[in-house]
Amino acid sequence: MRTLVVVSPDKSDVFFANQLMKFLNVVGVVVENQTPERDRSSLVKKAGKYLASPGIFIQKSLDVLDRTFLEPRQAYNRPENALDFGDEGRRLRVGEGVEVLHTEGVNAINAPEYRKWMQNLRPDVIAVCGASIMKAELLSIPTHGVLNLHGGLSQFYRGLFTTDWAIHNGEPECVGATVHFVSEGVDDGDVVYQGRPTISAEDNPNTLYEKVVRLGVQMMVQAVSDLEHHQCNSASLTTKGRLYLNDMFTTRAKRKTWHQLQAGLLPNYLAKQVERDQRVVTALINDFSGKNDLEKKTIASTH
């Protein structure tokens, strides 16, 4: 099964690509640039723009003060709480015969030149983690479709920062991962597998997200194997979770997320876990906890 992997440069996505190269026949990796170009205009020009809009100027000034005096004291900025996938999250470990493409521009994955590059690799399946929305022309390239690892349970949370939002909203039972076929919508394609990690009282949003990604890698490897052996059974979503966009996870939202932990969210959840989990467990599609094919593989191990 010729597999093409498409990821962003984020640590979790680089880790995803490295793991898939260990266990699948990966023929290519696309790393999509998602960083906008910096405003390179002069300080005088920037100041003039802000002074012409007093509201923006005041907000920018408050942001500078916040970053200088408040942000360094936040728990999520402590080194011991940082998201870390080790060396495999910092650089691609490309094996022989694997081609790599780094896109230019921002969210340009659908550009004709990149589509042609992918077509030339003749992938049977494309495995995605962290890429921007793909259009129909790109989705039609692989013979067996495009699979995405979504870091949330799609019937509850769609979009970005879904692990954080589940904690922010006081719903740790909704932390999980979904492997689904990609449609032209957002995280709403037919589901192949869903799974939930084991939660401990000592977890934080970053350790939970790491667990979600490691579980998601197992699910993706299994999904591609199922496709190869004509054993893939997917099912459509009957309900769609709220869609969370990138700019919704503000500094204020992030702080509330971590303050939830300080208020004892996880111990309180664990004390009533069976009761709290019931609505989520009954809603899962193709629950991955019933699979044991990959138990002996090390990709699920934690640090």
Side-chain angles (χ1 to χ4, degrees):
M1 180 70 72
R2 294 174 61 84
T3 303
L4 173 64
V5 178
V6 181
V7 295
S8 83
D10 290 349
K11 293 178 182 179
S12 57
D13 301 347
V14 172
F15 173 83
F16 172 86
N18 280 326
Q19 293 301 306
L20 264 57
M21 283 189 281
K22 289 182 181 180
F23 298 105
L24 298 175
N25 178 30
V26 174
V27 296
V29 177
V30 178
V31 182
E32 182 191 22
N33 175 45
Q34 297 179 352
T35 305
E37 289 189 13
R38 296 178 59 185
D39 183 356
R40 300 184 182 278
S41 57
S42 68
L43 184 60
V44 173
K45 187 174 181 179
K46 289 179 183 177
K49 180 175 65 175
Y50 294 144
L51 289 172
S53 303
I56 295 177
F57 176 76
I58 292 172
Q59 186 59 55
K60 290 291 183 181
S61 299
L62 291 174
D63 289 345
V64 170
L65 291 173
D66 189 295
R67 288 196 300 269
T68 303
F69 298 106
L70 295 180
E71 272 293 281
R73 300 183 181 185
Q74 301 303 312
Y76 49 77
N77 282 322
R78 296 173 187 162
E80 64 270 21
N81 291 332
L83 182 67
D84 184 18
F85 287 89
D87 187 59
E88 291 199 329
R90 288 187 281 272
R91 63 182 179 87
L92 286 176
R93 294 182 173 182
V94 181
E96 184 178 352
V98 179
E99 298 188 37
V100 177
L101 169 68
H102 291 266
T103 68
E104 298 179 358
V106 180
N107 305 120
I109 192 69
N110 295 286
E113 62 269 29
Y114 300 139
R115 187 168 68 245
K116 183 177 180 180
W117 186 90
M118 288 184 255
Q119 285 174 328
N120 290 338
L121 288 180
R122 298 177 292 105
D124 296 309
V125 63
I126 295 179
V128 178
C129 185
S132 54
I133 294 176
M134 296 180 172
K135 295 181 179 179
E137 295 87 349
L138 203 157
L139 296 177
S140 66
I141 290 175
T143 54
H144 288 73
V146 180
L147 292 172
N148 178 56
L149 169 57
H150 168 55
L153 301 177
S154 300
Q155 56 271 71
F156 299 102
Y157 289 86
R158 295 183 300 132
L160 301 174
F161 301 106
T162 47
T163 296
D164 295 87
W165 279 115
I167 300 302
H168 176 281
N169 296 340
E171 297 184 318
E173 62 270 24
C174 292
V175 170
T178 301
V179 170
H180 64 91
F181 283 103
V182 177
S183 64
E184 291 190 76
V186 180
D187 302 327
D188 60 1
D190 288 357
V191 173
V192 181
Y193 286 117
Q194 291 190 308
R196 301 165 63 238
T198 300
I199 296 177
S200 72
E202 294 75 30
D203 273 320
N204 63 51
N206 284 340
T207 60
L208 287 173
Y209 182 61
E210 181 178 343
K211 290 180 179 181
V212 165
V213 173
R214 290 178 181 274
L215 174 61
V217 167
Q218 291 187 79
M219 291 161 52
M220 181 63 77
V221 172
Q222 186 64 54
V224 173
S225 176
D226 291 347
L227 279 174
E228 184 174 11
H229 295 94
H230 308 287
Q231 296 175 347
C232 182
N233 297 308
S234 60
S236 60
L237 286 171
T238 55
T239 59
K240 298 178 183 179
R242 181 181 177 184
L243 177 61
Y244 289 89
L245 303 178
N246 184 62
D247 58 0
M248 294 170 67
F249 196 61
T250 60
T251 300
R252 182 176 180 180
K254 187 172 187 177
R255 287 178 185 168
K256 180 180 176 181
T257 299
W258 285 73
H259 289 164
Q260 287 276 50
L261 301 180
Q262 295 171 355
L265 175 67
L266 295 184
N268 291 339
Y269 156 69
L270 292 170
K272 299 181 179 180
Q273 185 172 9
V274 175
E275 178 184 347
R276 293 278 299 269
D277 285 356
Q278 186 174 2
R279 73 181 179 100
V280 177
V281 171
T282 56
L284 289 181
I285 300 172
N286 296 337
D287 186 358
F288 190 72
S289 63
K291 282 280 183 182
N292 57 15
D293 304 56
L294 302 177
E295 283 183 349
K296 294 182 180 179
K297 294 188 176 180
T298 59
I299 54 178
S301 63
T302 56
H303 293 313

